[in-house]
Each structure stands twice: as structure tokens, then as C-alpha cells.
Amino acid sequence: MSQWYYADAERQRHGPVAAGTLREKFQQGELDLAALVWREGLPQWQPLADFVDELQLKIAVEPGIDLRADYSAIGNSAAAAATDPSSYSPYAAPAAVLLGDNRPPVLGGEIVYAGFWKRVAAYCLDSVIVGMVGVVIAMVLGAAIGLGFMGAGGDTAGAGFIAIQLLTNLVSIAIAATYYAGFHSSNHRATPGKMAVGIKVVRSNGDRISLARGIGRYFGAILSGLILCIGYVMAAFTGRKQSLHDLICDTLVVDKWAFTEHPEWQQRGLGTVTVVILAISGVLLLVGVVALLVLIGIVISSFN
């Protein structure tokens, strides 16, 4: 269910609240159609008049009066105000939504660091995406190299297999490095997995990381995994929830609203998306373990 934010007559922002709460405030006269509201998924704050149908607002009007022109006028006025950089208003949408831009960080506010399980959930989702892309590319490269060695003739099967393995591994590393470094250094500061759970990667001062630092962080993450994943587990025990590769590269993983003008919108709990991803990943892991045990049992029984 969507959570809404609204600005009252005193130009104070409030929220998050449920859609039903907005409906009640409108019916009680605390909000009118010109009041601006926002929910996740909207590019900017918009007048309440734009969501009459979505929020199921009941409007008492005299017969024969058509309010559609008024709605249009309200929407146009709000849009004009939002795009005029010379006019400041507490209702201005850009001040409310700072995700996916390149603005300087807002310092001094509270910072909610991403916990271990949120990072695990993001990694699970990102691994699926990178894995799917890698498999497709590996299949294409394997087929191309295999056909090339077949055309060369001779006893080249062994060399072809080694070449396919070497090239696909290098390509897989390049794809993963590009994926993580590219997304982490983008204006969103997050991979799709991190966006889904509501976290991002920044410098220790809140700045966006560079592409070079993103590449370094990716290979630092490989190091964290090579030492029995101790580098990853460090995120559960360090003061700012930093993994080894975060400490090496001077990066933080924080809530998506950290270092913005709205630190109060940060989420401390896991969140529904995180719980769902972890649950699905846990089930798939359990199925994989059971399948492996069954396979081992079949192999052992075949030798008896």
C-alpha cells in the first residue's frame, strides 16, 4: 500500500500516511484540491486534484458544475511553479525528491546505515541479474569459439575448452565490474538490487563515488569474499556497518534518503521488499541444498 506525504495550509510537510488518512483529511476540510501531495513513484509533488480517482475522493458539487477545468488550472500552476528555479516554495517537488540526481549531499542530518540483511537482499537480486546476463553472453561466446575450433580441425577440443573457460570467466568479471561500478557511480548511487531495498553507496562525506572508485570497490568485494567472506560479515559489527571493501575504498552503504533534505524519511527496519527477497532466496537455497544432497546420494548408490 502506498504511503503519502502532504503539505498543509501552514506549508508544513507531513507523512508518511495511508491513502485513507488523506481521504479523511480532505473530507474534514483539512486539505483542499490545491494541496500538494507526493508518494513514491511520482517525479514531483502534485496537487491533490490529480488523484481524485486514485484516492476515491468524494466531492460535493452543485448539479451542472464541471470542475475539470479547475483541476487542469491547479495542475498547470503547480507544474509551472515546480519548473521555475527563481521561485522558492516549500511545496517545490525537487526539494522533496532528491533521488537519482547529482546534487551535493546535505550534511548535518541523521544517517541510517544499511544493515547486513538489507545488503544481503540487494546482493541476491543483483546476482540474479548479473548471472542471467553472464549466462547469455557465455553461451554466445562458447558457441562462437567452439565453432571456430571445429573449423580449424585437428585435435583441438582440449584447447577449445580451455579457451572458452578462460574467456567466459574474464567476460563475467568484466560484466560484473561494469554493472556494480556503473550503477554505484551513477546519479542513483545504487544497483537495481539496492534501489529495490532502498539503500545506496556513497563516500563517507555523502558524495557520489567515481567510476574508478566503483571498480576498485568491486575488486575489494572480491577480496572480502576470498577471505571466507569475513570481509562481508564485518558489516554486521563495524560502527558504520562497513564491509572490508567499504573501509578500503572509503565508502558507506546508507538509506536512500540519507544525506538529503529529508533524513526523517529514512527507514530503519528491513522493509517488505527486503523480507520478500530474503524469503525467496532462502527457499531457493534450501531447494538447492536438498537437490545437491539427493544428487550425492544417487552418485554414492551407483557405486554400491
Side-chain angles (χ1 to χ4, degrees):
M1 182 177 295
S2 298
Q3 295 293 303
W4 293 80
Y5 298 84
Y6 67 93
D8 59 22
E10 284 74 34
R11 298 187 176 182
Q12 297 296 318
R13 293 186 182 125
H14 303 276
V17 299
T21 303
L22 275 185
R23 211 161 28 240
E24 292 175 4
K25 290 185 176 294
F26 176 75
Q27 299 299 341
Q28 294 169 2
E30 297 180 33
L31 295 176
D32 58 25
L33 293 175
L36 294 190
V37 296
W38 182 86
R39 61 166 167 72
E40 190 167 357
L42 295 178
Q44 62 183 11
W45 287 67
Q46 296 177 223
L48 188 59
D50 291 350
F51 305 98
V52 171
D53 293 333
E54 180 177 342
L55 295 172
Q56 299 178 354
L57 302 180
K58 297 181 180 179
I59 305 172
V61 298
E62 296 180 10
I65 296 180
D66 186 354
L67 294 180
R68 287 175 294 180
D70 293 337
Y71 295 167
S72 177
I74 292 172
N76 292 339
S77 176
T83 55
D84 183 2
S86 64
S87 61
Y88 170 80
S89 167
Y91 301 112
V97 184
L98 295 179
L99 304 181
D101 59 28
N102 197 28
R103 302 185 184 192
V106 178
L107 304 177
E110 180 186 15
I111 299 174
V112 175
Y113 301 103
F116 176 76
W117 290 113
K118 274 195 172 183
R119 297 176 68 160
V120 169
Y123 178 78
C124 289
L125 186 55
D126 287 326
S127 296
V128 171
I129 298 173
V130 174
M132 291 176 64
V133 175
V135 166
V136 172
I137 294 179
M139 290 176 61
V140 173
L141 288 176
I145 296 175
L147 290 174
F149 276 95
M150 288 177 61
D155 187 14
T156 58
F161 178 78
I162 294 175
I164 290 173
Q165 290 297 314
L166 178 61
L167 184 58
T168 53
N169 286 336
L170 290 176
V171 170
S172 296
I173 292 175
I175 291 172
T178 302
Y179 175 89
Y180 285 101
F183 276 113
H184 287 158
S185 62
S186 69
N187 288 339
H188 288 284
R189 300 162 174 80
T191 59
K194 288 184 173 65
M195 290 184 217
V197 301
I199 58 179
K200 63 185 178 182
V201 176
V202 295
R203 293 288 304 278
S204 58
N205 61 356
D207 282 337
R208 179 167 64 93
I209 70 172
S210 64
L211 180 61
R213 189 177 297 271
I215 294 174
R217 188 178 185 276
Y218 169 75
F219 287 102
I222 293 179
L223 175 62
S224 293
L226 289 176
I227 54 176
L228 303 177
C229 293
I230 294 175
Y232 286 108
V233 178
M234 287 174 59
F237 303 100
T238 51
R240 295 192 292 177
K241 301 187 183 302
Q242 291 175 290
S243 298
L244 177 61
H245 45 283
D246 290 313
L247 293 171
I248 293 174
C249 298
D250 185 35
T251 56
L252 297 173
V253 184
V254 297
D255 186 272
K256 65 180 180 179
W257 292 106
F259 297 106
T260 71
E261 294 181 359
H262 291 282
E264 71 277 8
W265 291 357
Q266 297 178 90
Q267 184 181 61
R268 294 185 177 277
L270 289 179
T272 303
V273 175
T274 301
V275 173
V276 171
I277 293 175
L278 290 175
I280 294 175
S281 300
V283 171
L284 293 177
L285 178 62
L286 180 61
V287 171
V289 171
V290 172
L292 179 61
L293 292 176
V294 171
L295 180 61
I296 292 175
I298 293 174
V299 173
I300 293 176
S301 63
S302 66
F303 287 99
N304 295 332

